[in-house]
């Protein structure tokens, strides 16, 4: 369940900014039909930064309910306060959640020892599998390979979503961890290269609107058929890149609405509506990828 194409699911909202159950159900059904390996609920792409903790829990539990055990659900449970991350993680114990994705504490800029103690404390308070999440461009801190190796020794820390885009990280981490420690890309544009170097999958933004294509690309890569995987990925590359012209999830929400997966592309401040110039580039990318509207 933690390999292949895993979608970093958007959180659909109505025109008033409230969670849209109808669109969320449609999104989940789309991923079930297209055999996405798992859903990450309320990660960065799911706008965890602008949801209250009550809303955060509600969206994860609603995603669980609507998935009806048809696809594994991974909950985003990171926070920049260790006690808050522990509280959020414990809330999902025995809920049916398959695991947690826990981002490094943002803004605080902790030392490597601080990062180790943070994740160790979370690990000690739960039986749920934990996937570390390293995305320095957003958090202001970098979880280094040596610290990942220390954390990999803890009982329920099973892998890392590595979103630096630095492919040299893969070998550095692989040299320091056991073979069963999962390496998952957090960067769509380099995900295939990441997998060819030994990664097991990607937690993908692109998969929100190209679920079938991302699943096929990952499936080929896991089988070692990188010629077929690159053929699929070539069509998606403009899309991988265009989705980050503006901060995620502004572009992906606009595209999800355009192809009919959600009713509204509502965002919460400080996220603002997409620029016309970005829409033009996204339309070119989606045409090149040959994705169909629903």
């Amino acid at each position: 369940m933690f390999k292949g194409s895993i979608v970093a699911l958007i959180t659909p909202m109505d025109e008033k900014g409230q969670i849209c159950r109808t669109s969320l159900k449609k999104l989940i059904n789309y991923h079930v039909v297209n055999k996405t390996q798992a859903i990450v609920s309320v990660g960065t792409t799911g706008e965890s930064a602008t949801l209250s903790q009550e809303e955060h829990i509600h969206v994860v539990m609603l995603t669980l309910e609507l998935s009806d055990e048809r696809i594994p659900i991974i909950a985003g449970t990171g926070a920049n306060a260790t006690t808050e991350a522990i509280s959020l993680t414990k809330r999902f114990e025995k809920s049916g959640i398959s695991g947690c994705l826990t981002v490094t504490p943002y803004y605080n800029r902790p030392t490597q020892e601080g990062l180790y103690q943070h994740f160790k404390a979370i690990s000690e308070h739960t039986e749920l599998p934990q996937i570390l999440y390293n995305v320095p461009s957003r958090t202001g801190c970098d979880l280094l390979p040596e610290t990942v190796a220390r954390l990999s020794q803890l009982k329920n820390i099973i892998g890392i979503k590595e979103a630096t885009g630095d492919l040299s990280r893969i070998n550095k981490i692989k040299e320091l961890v056991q073979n069963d420690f999962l390496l998952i890309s957090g960067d769509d544009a380099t995900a295939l290269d990441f997998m060819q170097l030994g990664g097991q999958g990607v937690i993908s933004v692109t998969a929100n609107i190209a679920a079938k294509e991302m699943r096929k690309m990952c499936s080929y890569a896991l089988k070692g058929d990188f010629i077929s995987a690159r053929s699929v990925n070539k069509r998606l590359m403009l899309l991988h890149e265009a989705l980050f012209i503006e901060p995620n999830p502004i572009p992906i929400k606009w595209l999800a609405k355009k192809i009919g997966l959600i009713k509204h592309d509502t965002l919460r401040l400080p996220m603002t509506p997409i620029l016309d110039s970005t829409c033009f580039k996204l339309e070119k990318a989606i045409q090149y990828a040959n994705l169909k509207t629903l």
Side-chain angles (χ1 to χ4, degrees):
M1 72 180 71
F2 298 120
K3 295 182 180 181
S5 178
I6 302 169
V7 64
L9 197 70
I10 57 178
T11 298
M13 300 174 186
D14 63 22
E15 65 274 20
K16 296 181 180 178
Q18 302 304 306
I19 309 306
C20 181
R21 179 188 178 100
T22 302
S23 289
L24 183 58
K25 183 176 182 179
K26 189 170 186 176
L27 283 170
I28 294 166
N29 289 341
Y30 169 75
H31 288 287
V32 171
V33 167
N34 287 289
K35 300 180 181 179
T36 297
Q37 199 69 23
I39 287 172
V40 171
S41 179
V42 197
T44 303
T45 307
E47 296 176 82
S48 56
T50 57
L51 298 183
S52 68
Q53 187 168 108
E54 181 181 347
E55 289 175 317
H56 187 133
I57 293 167
H58 169 65
V59 173
V60 173
M61 297 305 291
L62 184 58
T63 303
L64 260 179
E65 175 195 332
L66 296 174
S67 68
D68 195 25
E69 300 183 352
R70 295 173 296 159
I71 185 171
I73 307 300
I74 301 166
T77 53
N80 61 339
T82 305
T83 53
E84 183 179 344
I86 290 170
S87 173
L88 195 53
T89 302
K90 289 176 70 175
R91 175 63 181 78
F92 298 122
E93 286 279 354
K94 297 181 175 59
S95 66
I97 286 293
S98 297
C100 298
L101 180 68
T102 310
V103 71
T104 53
Y106 38 87
Y107 188 77
N108 298 336
R109 299 181 66 192
T111 63
Q112 293 301 303
E113 182 61 24
L115 289 169
Y116 175 78
Q117 294 297 338
H118 171 80
F119 288 113
K120 179 174 180 286
I122 298 169
S123 173
E124 290 172 344
H125 282 84
T126 185
E127 296 296 321
L128 287 167
Q130 301 289 304
I131 301 171
L132 309 171
Y133 178 15
N134 188 38
V135 56
S137 63
R138 281 191 178 260
T139 63
C141 68
D142 189 0
L143 187 62
L144 297 179
E146 294 77 12
T147 308
V148 174
R150 290 179 69 193
L151 289 165
S152 73
Q153 301 301 311
L154 301 179
K155 60 180 175 64
N156 55 350
I157 294 182
I158 64 168
I160 184 169
K161 175 186 177 182
E162 176 57 53
T164 59
D166 178 4
L167 293 172
S168 70
R169 280 291 177 94
I170 303 166
N171 284 333
K172 290 176 183 176
I173 296 172
K174 282 176 70 70
E175 289 173 357
L176 298 171
V177 300
Q178 298 296 315
N179 290 336
D180 60 352
F181 189 77
L182 296 172
L183 296 175
I184 303 171
S185 173
D187 179 60
D188 280 304
T190 59
L192 180 53
D193 292 326
F194 187 102
M195 294 182 72
Q196 190 159 12
L197 289 169
Q200 288 90 5
V202 57
I203 295 177
S204 171
V205 176
T206 303
N208 276 282
I209 60 163
K212 181 179 179 180
E213 291 77 8
M214 287 301 296
R215 189 259 303 163
K216 286 174 64 177
M217 187 271 283
C218 288
S219 179
Y220 285 134
L222 288 172
K223 293 175 183 175
D225 183 358
F226 290 100
I227 293 175
S228 297
R230 289 200 179 279
S231 177
V232 176
N233 197 54
K234 183 179 179 181
R235 289 195 292 114
L236 297 175
M237 187 55 72
L238 280 180
L239 187 57
H240 294 330
E241 295 170 348
L243 286 172
F244 292 89
I245 293 172
E246 293 189 46
N248 183 36
I250 296 172
I252 192 61
K253 273 197 153 180
W254 183 83
L255 273 180
K257 178 188 175 185
K258 181 176 178 60
I259 71 170
L261 275 171
I262 60 177
K263 291 182 178 180
H264 305 279
D265 59 343
T266 307
L267 301 150
R268 289 184 179 178
L269 287 171
M271 295 303 218
T272 50
I274 196 166
L275 300 173
D276 289 342
S277 57
T278 304
C279 295
F280 175 75
K281 292 174 183 176
L282 288 169
E283 286 172 342
K284 281 187 64 178
I286 203 168
Q287 288 169 8
Y288 187 80
N290 196 28
L291 299 180
K292 307 298 183 183
T293 57
L294 297 183

